Amino acid sequence: MTLGDAGSGRNGARHDGVREGEVPGGDAQQRARKELGAFLRGKRTAADRAEYGLPPVGRGKTTGMRREEIAFLSGVSVTWYTWLEQGRDIHPSRQVVDAVAVNLRLNQAEHDYVLGLSGFTPSPRPVPLAPGPVPAHVQQLLDTLDPAPAFAVSPHWDIAAWNQSYEGLFPGIATAPPEERNLLALVFTDEYVRAMLPEWELTSRQFLGEYRSEAGARMGGPAHVRLVAHLRHASPDFAAAWDEHAVLRFESRQRRFIHPVAGELLFDQLKLVPQDAPELHVVAYLPDADSGTAGRLPLLLPGSPTS
């Protein structure tokens, strides 16, 4: 018998009664961690690289994601993700488990399975692909506020409705696919929007702190995880700011824009929550009384001499 055979009997059985691959004295949590690691590893190695927009590796291999690739998409370190696949005694948060599940593109049943293995109770998680239609009276409120720009956002800051002045301020909002009309995405990835914000560094971080404060318990949901994963990949500025973990409560404040047609615009930003549609927040930009902004607002509307 060689040293490599020590302790093993026929058919892989050990003399201490534990089979090869089992953890001696292992409890249910250990077995769950091992199963979780094996399951994630299997899904990662079977992933289609083309679906992630990634080139083949090695000798033209088109399947299999690297650990560092999934770790990057999920916002965790490679070492930590490696430990997760190895079944180490670590305790991932639900947010992390959801992030890994979403970035491995697990289906609903698989997602619930890894939540269960991680000690979390799966819960219904409806994920609309785009904001649904807003109630007619909310749209009427937005239209009534013209020529002051105004818009309505969903809990994940998807822009669900707006008035003509807001479209004049941000023309891309009307042409963007509905699933891409997100306020954070506009601020961090749209160069037109960035150019209009002279205090972009301050404004973008204020928005992010307010979003984080409002997200609260929704941070474990797939809609939030997808948004953060997408913006981490699309914007290094977002990734750096998100990792600062700033949390800010919304407060009315002045907003300043440099519009290519209307010039400098100074607004007081206000937020309203309709009592009969509390999932929507209406944000209005009211012209500052002493800035001359009110006289330039008609330039944002269709049919103006320079629009």
Side-chain angles (χ1 to χ4, degrees), residues 279-301:
E279 74 282 2
L280 294 174
H281 290 182
V282 173
V283 180
Y285 295 154
L286 304 183
D288 178 78
D290 300 322
S291 65
T293 295
R296 293 189 290 276
L297 287 183
L299 295 175
L300 299 178
L301 297 174

Side-chain angles (χ1 to χ4, degrees), residues 157 180-190 227 230-231:
W157 286 30
E180 296 179 11
R181 292 174 183 153
N182 181 274
L183 187 57
L184 285 181
L186 282 175
V187 170
F188 280 95
T189 67
D190 191 303
L227 175 63
H230 165 68
L231 290 178

Side-chain angles (χ1 to χ4, degrees), residues 203-248:
T203 300
S204 62
R205 278 161 172 74
Q206 285 176 324
F207 273 146
L208 201 54
E210 290 167 358
Y211 171 80
R212 195 173 206 129
S213 175
E214 292 179 11
R218 293 190 301 274
M219 281 197 174
H224 165 83
V225 172
R226 286 191 181 96
L227 175 63
V228 172
H230 165 68
L231 290 178
R232 272 188 175 278
H233 180 73
S235 170
D237 289 316
F238 175 89
W242 184 255
D243 289 340
E244 293 172 3
H245 299 280
V247 177
L248 299 173

Side-chain angles (χ1 to χ4, degrees), residues 13-270:
R14 291 165 51 108
H15 295 309
D16 56 9
V18 180
R19 295 186 59 81
E20 289 284 336
E22 290 186 349
V23 180
D27 58 13
Q29 289 183 335
Q30 287 176 309
R31 290 193 294 272
R33 288 196 298 268
K34 290 293 184 183
E35 170 59 17
L36 175 64
F39 182 80
L40 295 178
R41 185 165 58 252
K43 299 300 293 187
R44 175 178 59 79
T45 57
D48 185 346
R49 297 184 61 79
E51 291 184 0
Y52 291 80
L54 295 173
V57 293
R59 298 179 179 179
K61 185 179 179 183
T62 59
T63 58
M65 298 282 286
R66 296 188 177 98
R67 280 174 173 162
E68 55 264 33
E69 291 168 336
I70 292 297
F72 173 78
L73 292 173
S74 304
V76 298
S77 71
V78 178
T79 299
W80 194 95
Y81 180 76
T82 299
W83 288 351
L84 189 63
E85 282 197 359
Q86 290 174 344
R88 299 280 192 97
D89 187 9
I90 57 177
H91 303 282
S93 68
R94 181 174 185 136
Q95 179 181 351
V96 167
V97 176
D98 279 327
V100 171
V102 168
N103 287 297
L104 282 174
R105 304 191 179 180
L106 305 186
N107 61 35
Q108 187 69 59
E110 292 168 336
H111 195 151
D112 288 346
Y113 182 60
V114 299
L115 282 171
L117 290 173
S118 303
F120 300 106
T121 302
S123 58
R125 296 179 301 276
V127 186
L129 297 178
V134 303
H137 62 276
V138 173
Q139 184 63 61
Q140 183 180 11
L141 171 61
L142 298 175
D143 294 337
T144 301
L145 287 168
D146 262 328
F151 61 101
V153 292
S154 74
H156 291 286
W157 286 30
D158 295 317
I159 300 174
W162 59 90
N163 62 12
Q164 287 187 329
S165 291
Y166 187 78
E167 185 175 331
L169 193 62
F170 301 115
I173 194 66
T175 57
E179 64 274 12
E180 296 179 11
R181 292 174 183 153
N182 181 274
L183 187 57
L184 285 181
L186 282 175
V187 170
F188 280 95
T189 67
D190 191 303
E191 292 300 323
Y192 176 91
V193 174
R194 185 165 184 157
M196 276 206 307
L197 301 175
E199 297 93 8
W200 184 87
E201 289 283 348
L202 174 62
T203 300
S204 62
R205 278 161 172 74
Q206 285 176 324
F207 273 146
L208 201 54
E210 290 167 358
Y211 171 80
R212 195 173 206 129
S213 175
E214 292 179 11
R218 293 190 301 274
M219 281 197 174
H224 165 83
V225 172
R226 286 191 181 96
L227 175 63
V228 172
H230 165 68
L231 290 178
R232 272 188 175 278
H233 180 73
S235 170
D237 289 316
F238 175 89
W242 184 255
D243 289 340
E244 293 172 3
H245 299 280
V247 177
L248 299 173
R249 185 181 298 277
F250 175 88
E251 59 181 22
S252 298
R253 61 180 183 272
Q254 284 197 327
R255 296 289 312 282
R256 181 167 161 254
F257 299 88
I258 306 298
H259 190 268
V261 174
E264 184 179 48
L265 301 171
L266 191 63
F267 298 104
D268 293 318
Q269 177 181 270
L270 304 175

